């Protein structure tokens, strides 16, 4: 069962987002701010009312198994393993750099980190290209959100899985890096039930996402 943030807190966050947009003032200042942030949404497909898990490990920092352009936290017992260039795992112009296994934490699924070395069109275009080659997906929705210092593009979608026999919920996000490339994070489980069980870990990862250095 999900740990919920609570309707009152979610309402405050939504009001704060709306107030921030209202205080932009003029059309020119809104244009400088870029596209508007998406509102928070309870339940599927975005699950914004799910509380983050408790932090236990850090992924991405120097000296950790996966050294990445970004860092984030995950619950204890999630195990990160680097994926080297020799593995040659690529999809839609993105290269798999790190695979974080939830199985030691009693969930069946992975959070994966992909690097886009050249992303001249930004995180949104990189994420769209990635999902275009992902295969067997439907009901894709995109949105723009801000987590800490980073503007992110998120996608929620269903993937048809032959093992579970049904469309399963997945999530992905894209973030631009200071090097001019982008980083993608994807979360998927054996089925939608596993995805929902792992989602507090995803909420933790996105809420602690920071550029390295």
């Amino acid at each position: 069962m999900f740990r919920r943030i609570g309707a009152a807190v979610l309402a405050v966050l939504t009001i704060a987002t709306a107030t921030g947009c209202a205080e932009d003032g003029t059309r020119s200042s809104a244009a400088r701010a870029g596209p508007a942030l998406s509102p928070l949404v309870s339940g599927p497909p975005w699950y914004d009312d799910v509380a983050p898990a408790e932090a236990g490990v850090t992924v991405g920092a120097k000296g950790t198994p996966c050294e990445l352009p970004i860092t984030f936290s995950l619950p204890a017992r999630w195990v990160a393993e680097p994926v080297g260039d020799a593995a040659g795992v690529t999809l839609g112009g993105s290269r798999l750099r790190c695979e974080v296994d939830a199985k030691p934490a009693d969930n069946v699924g992975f959070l994966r980190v992909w690097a886009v070395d050249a992303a001249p069109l930004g995180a949104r275009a990189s994420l769209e290209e990635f999902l275009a080659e992902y295969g067997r997906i439907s009901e894709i929705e995109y949105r723009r959100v801000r987590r800490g210092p980073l503007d992110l593009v998120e996608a929620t979608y269903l993937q048809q899985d032959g093992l579970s026999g049904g469309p399963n919920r997945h999530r992905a996000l894209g973030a631009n890096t200071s090097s001019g490339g982008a980083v993608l994070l994807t979360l998927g489980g054996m089925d939608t039930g596993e995805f929902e069980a792992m989602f507090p870990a995803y909420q933790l990862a996105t809420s602690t996402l920071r550029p390295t250095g």
Side-chain angles (χ1 to χ4, degrees):
M1 196 70 181
F2 286 163
R3 295 182 298 129
R4 301 288 179 180
I5 294 175
V9 176
L10 187 60
V12 170
L13 291 174
T14 304
I15 292 169
T17 301
T19 302
C21 293
E23 289 176 349
D24 276 347
T26 66
R27 181 180 302 178
S28 60
S29 64
R32 288 195 299 270
L37 298 175
S38 300
L40 299 172
V41 180
S42 300
W46 293 111
Y47 301 97
D48 288 324
D49 51 341
V50 176
E54 183 177 350
V57 298
T58 298
V59 178
K62 291 184 178 180
T64 62
C66 296
E67 295 187 3
L68 302 166
I70 46 89
T71 65
F72 55 91
S73 298
L74 281 175
R77 298 195 294 158
W78 284 58
V79 178
E81 294 288 344
V83 179
D85 292 341
V89 182
T90 60
L91 190 64
S94 302
R95 177 168 45 90
L96 184 61
R97 291 281 308 278
C98 184
E99 189 170 71
V100 190
D101 190 358
K103 192 177 298 180
D106 300 324
N107 295 118
V108 183
F110 294 91
L111 188 146
R112 296 182 171 97
V113 184
W114 307 73
V116 188
D117 294 329
L121 299 180
R124 170 67 182 254
S126 299
L127 188 54
E128 288 178 342
E129 184 179 2
F130 176 86
L131 292 178
E133 294 193 19
Y134 201 82
R136 306 187 310 278
I137 63 175
S138 61
E139 299 186 25
I140 306 174
E141 296 181 38
Y142 293 94
R143 69 176 183 176
R144 175 177 172 255
V145 295
R146 187 165 183 84
R147 298 288 186 266
L150 298 175
D151 280 329
L152 308 176
V153 177
E154 282 191 303
T156 179
Y157 54 97
L158 297 175
Q159 182 186 37
Q160 191 68 35
D161 191 325
L163 294 177
S164 65
N168 300 326
R169 179 65 56 187
H170 288 249
R171 180 69 67 88
L173 70 80
N176 293 321
T177 68
S178 58
S179 64
V183 171
L184 308 182
L185 271 66
T186 59
L187 178 71
M190 182 179 67
D191 53 30
T192 297
E194 288 291 341
F195 167 84
E196 292 179 341
M198 295 186 297
F199 197 74
Y202 175 88
Q203 293 285 69
L204 171 63
T206 59
S207 65
T208 56
L209 201 63
R210 299 291 185 274
T212 302

